[in-house]
């Protein structure tokens, strides 16, 4: 991990723990890898900002040439408040936003993700260009992860209803210029090839489509044994298909991807401290209680996600023995576990860690994506943790202050 003991001590002294720590050099490395995604007729990379929505992170990516994928009108507005130009924002949402006409007038691009949304867009902006998100119906024999585009997913317009979408477009003189398929396909090149084939079949049914957006879902291994996606490997067969499509149809499709996880999964850690240590006897477990938990990282409790964890002893006590420990969070909630069994949030999976002492640092890795944006902050009235960025020159920049106790309850109306 990119955090040295000295830096951990400096951060803890300045900003206290728990604290998210992002590494700008790592963010930039991932951004460059995404921008090198194989393509034939041009590429737009959109950062799926729900992964971590801090304005500083949006600005870093945008300054490198990455645009924004927003999953709600609130996200679109937040990106604009952060200084992202509206024409760099594309909105693909589960809900039809109330103020869609305002957003469109500002220049935000829109992908209709249901027939109702397309109808709604038609009423707001007749005659305009729009994208449609299609659920290609992929059930390609993989795991649940690769199947999120199939019949069990509510996202997008079901592929058998394409004619209905075309009827709505006709009714409002809409030009469908973008096909969007985000199905979370993982790291298997064959699955991506299959999805690309299906997406191109869909594109062929829409003569005005100029852009194919294949969404995100590029998995990143956080702990040993988990596979990371090689964008070159999965992108090459897709690019070859786009080229063939052009040769056959004369249509040169611009390509878009929308990575979230890929851009920052391993670019941040949560710096926490060992708050207590206890055990439940020789037949039980040894527990490490941290001053962090589901209020900073919800993924382990939510879906048994695995995050690397390291105990960083204070200086001078490095020669401690190892043991097997269950690491828990600070919430009064038995589900607040940082070492669940893989994909089983109800199971415990002790980790081999240095014997901890109270006051040691506990560093939780893989905390860039879906952590600060998806934690259950304010449970037990813990204030939301600060976010710190390690700049490329090694300096520290606070990019979000710790919430104050007053802010936690500021919207309450006393009797
Ligand atoms: C969440 C989301 C993404 C990003 O998914 P990752 O798995 O983080 O890459 C991309 N596009 C859309 C439409 C999304 O909803």
């Amino acid at each position: 991990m990119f955090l040295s003991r000295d830096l951990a001590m400096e951060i803890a002294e300045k900003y206290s723990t728990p604290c998210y720590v992002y590494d700008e050099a790592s963010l930039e490395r991932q951004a460059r890898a995404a921008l090198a995604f194989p393509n034939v007729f041009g590429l737009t990379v959109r950062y799926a900002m729900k992964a971590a929505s801090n304005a500083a992170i949006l600005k870093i990516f945008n300054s490198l040439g990455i645009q924004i994928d927003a999953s709600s009108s609130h996200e679109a507005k937040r990106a604009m408040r952060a200084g992202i130009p509206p024409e760099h924002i594309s909105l693909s949402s589960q809900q039809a936003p109330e103020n869609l006409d305002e957003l469109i007038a500002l220049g935000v691009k829109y992908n209709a993700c249901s027939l109702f949304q397309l109808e709604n867009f038609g009423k707001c902006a007749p005659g305009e260009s729009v994208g449609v998100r299609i659920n290609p119906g992929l059930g390609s024999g993989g795991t649940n992860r690769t199947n999120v585009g199939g019949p069990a997913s509510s996202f997008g317009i079901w592929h058998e209803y394409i004619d209905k979408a075309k009827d709505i477009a006709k009714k409002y003189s809409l030009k469908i210029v973008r096909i969007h398929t985000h199905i979370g396909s993982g790291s298997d090149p064959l699955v991506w090839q299959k999805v690309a084939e299906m997406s191109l079949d869909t594109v062929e049914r829409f003569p005005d489509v100029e852009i194919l957006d294949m969404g995100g879902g590029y998995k990143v291994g956080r702990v040993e044994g988990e596979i990371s996606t090689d964008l070159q490997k999965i992108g090459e067969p897709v690019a070859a298909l786009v080229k063939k499509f052009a040769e056959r149809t004369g249509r040169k499709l611009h390509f878009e991807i929308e990575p979230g996880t890929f851009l920052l999964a391993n670019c941040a850690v949560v710096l926490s401290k060992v708050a207590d240590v206890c055990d439940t006897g020789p037949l039980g477990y040894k527990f490490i209680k941290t001053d962090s938990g589901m209020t900073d990282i919800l993924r382990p409790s939510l879906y048994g996600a695995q995050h690397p964890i390291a105990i960083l002893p204070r200086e001078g006590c490095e020669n401690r023995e190892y043991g097997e420990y269950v690491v828990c969070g600070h919430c009064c909630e038995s589900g607040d576990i940082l070492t669940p069994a893989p994909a089983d949030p109800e199971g415990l999976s002790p980790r081999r860690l240095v014997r901890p002492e109270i006051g040691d640092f506990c560093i939780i890795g893989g905390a860039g994506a879906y952590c600060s944006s998806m934690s259950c902050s304010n449970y037990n009235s813990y204030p939301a943790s600060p976010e710190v960025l390690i700049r490329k020159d090694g300096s520290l920049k606070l990019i979000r202050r710790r919430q104050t106790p007053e802010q936690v309850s500021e919207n309450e109306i006393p009797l």
Side-chain angles (χ1 to χ4, degrees), residues 76-387:
K77 287 184 184 166
R78 186 170 179 179
M80 286 188 269
R81 284 200 301 276
I84 306 294
E87 62 276 16
H88 280 193
I89 301 168
S90 159
L91 175 58
S92 306
S93 174
Q94 275 289 72
Q95 291 181 312
E98 278 166 29
N99 40 15
L100 183 60
D101 44 352
E102 273 169 49
L103 294 174
I104 293 162
L106 287 166
V108 172
K109 299 184 174 79
Y110 188 65
N111 290 320
C113 298
S114 73
L115 293 171
F116 168 69
Q117 284 192 19
L118 187 59
E119 182 101 34
N120 188 46
F121 180 91
K123 285 178 188 157
C124 285
E128 290 294 320
S129 295
V130 67
V132 287
R133 177 168 177 174
I134 304 289
N135 177 342
L138 183 74
S140 71
T143 64
N144 280 341
R145 286 181 181 179
T146 57
N147 267 351
V148 296
S153 165
S154 70
F155 293 84
I157 297 168
W158 182 240
H159 62 103
E160 290 170 335
Y161 302 146
I162 282 175
D163 285 337
K164 290 187 189 180
K166 287 178 142 187
D167 287 346
I168 294 169
K170 202 165 164 201
K171 181 169 155 195
Y172 296 100
S173 310
L174 301 175
K175 195 171 159 194
I176 294 178
V177 293
R178 248 182 343 270
I179 294 295
H180 181 283
T181 53
H182 166 69
I183 65 155
S185 311
S187 52
D188 183 345
L190 286 177
V191 174
W192 277 95
Q193 195 172 332
K194 180 103 188 280
V195 184
E197 277 166 15
M198 292 167 110
S199 305
L200 287 167
D201 286 346
T202 306
V203 169
E204 198 150 8
R205 297 182 59 185
F206 291 94
D208 294 327
V209 165
E210 297 153 2
I211 299 167
L212 173 59
D213 184 332
M214 285 189 46
Y218 314 95
K219 294 289 180 289
V220 172
R222 292 178 175 82
V223 294
E224 241 182 78
E226 290 180 351
I227 299 167
S228 286
T229 312
D230 181 336
L231 292 190
Q232 294 298 319
K233 266 202 191 128
I234 60 156
E236 269 158 21
V238 176
L241 286 170
V242 170
K243 194 167 170 221
K244 250 200 228 155
F245 182 84
E247 284 160 7
R248 191 163 57 74
T249 63
R251 295 170 63 187
K252 297 178 175 175
L253 296 175
H254 184 87
F255 203 68
E256 288 191 3
I257 54 169
E258 295 172 343
T261 303
F262 181 86
L263 285 172
L264 72 176
N266 288 330
C267 304
V269 301
V270 167
L271 178 63
S272 73
K273 274 190 178 165
V274 175
D276 205 341
V277 181
C278 71
D279 69 80
T280 47
L283 298 178
Y285 294 96
K286 288 188 269 189
F287 294 95
I288 298 172
K289 301 183 188 180
T290 68
D291 65 0
S292 175
M294 62 201 281
T295 47
D296 297 309
I297 298 190
L298 185 60
R299 304 178 70 253
S301 308
L302 196 60
Y303 25 71
Q306 302 294 299
H307 286 259
I309 296 175
I311 300 295
L312 194 61
R314 284 156 308 169
E315 223 151 352
C317 18
E318 287 95 342
N319 296 325
R320 293 194 210 136
E321 69 279 23
Y322 278 76
E324 300 273 322
Y325 295 92
V326 171
V327 183
C328 356
H330 55 176
C331 289
C332 293
E333 162 63 47
S334 58
D336 190 5
I337 294 289
L338 289 159
T339 53
D344 171 18
E346 289 178 22
L348 298 184
S349 176
R351 292 270 180 100
R352 203 177 129 75
L353 295 167
V354 171
R355 178 174 57 78
E357 283 179 8
I358 293 167
D360 284 348
F361 288 119
C362 176
I363 300 174
I364 308 156
Y370 305 102
C371 290
S372 76
S373 60
M374 207 179 71
S375 64
C376 64
S377 49
N378 295 166
Y379 181 52
N380 287 172
S381 296
Y382 287 112
S385 298
E387 294 179 295

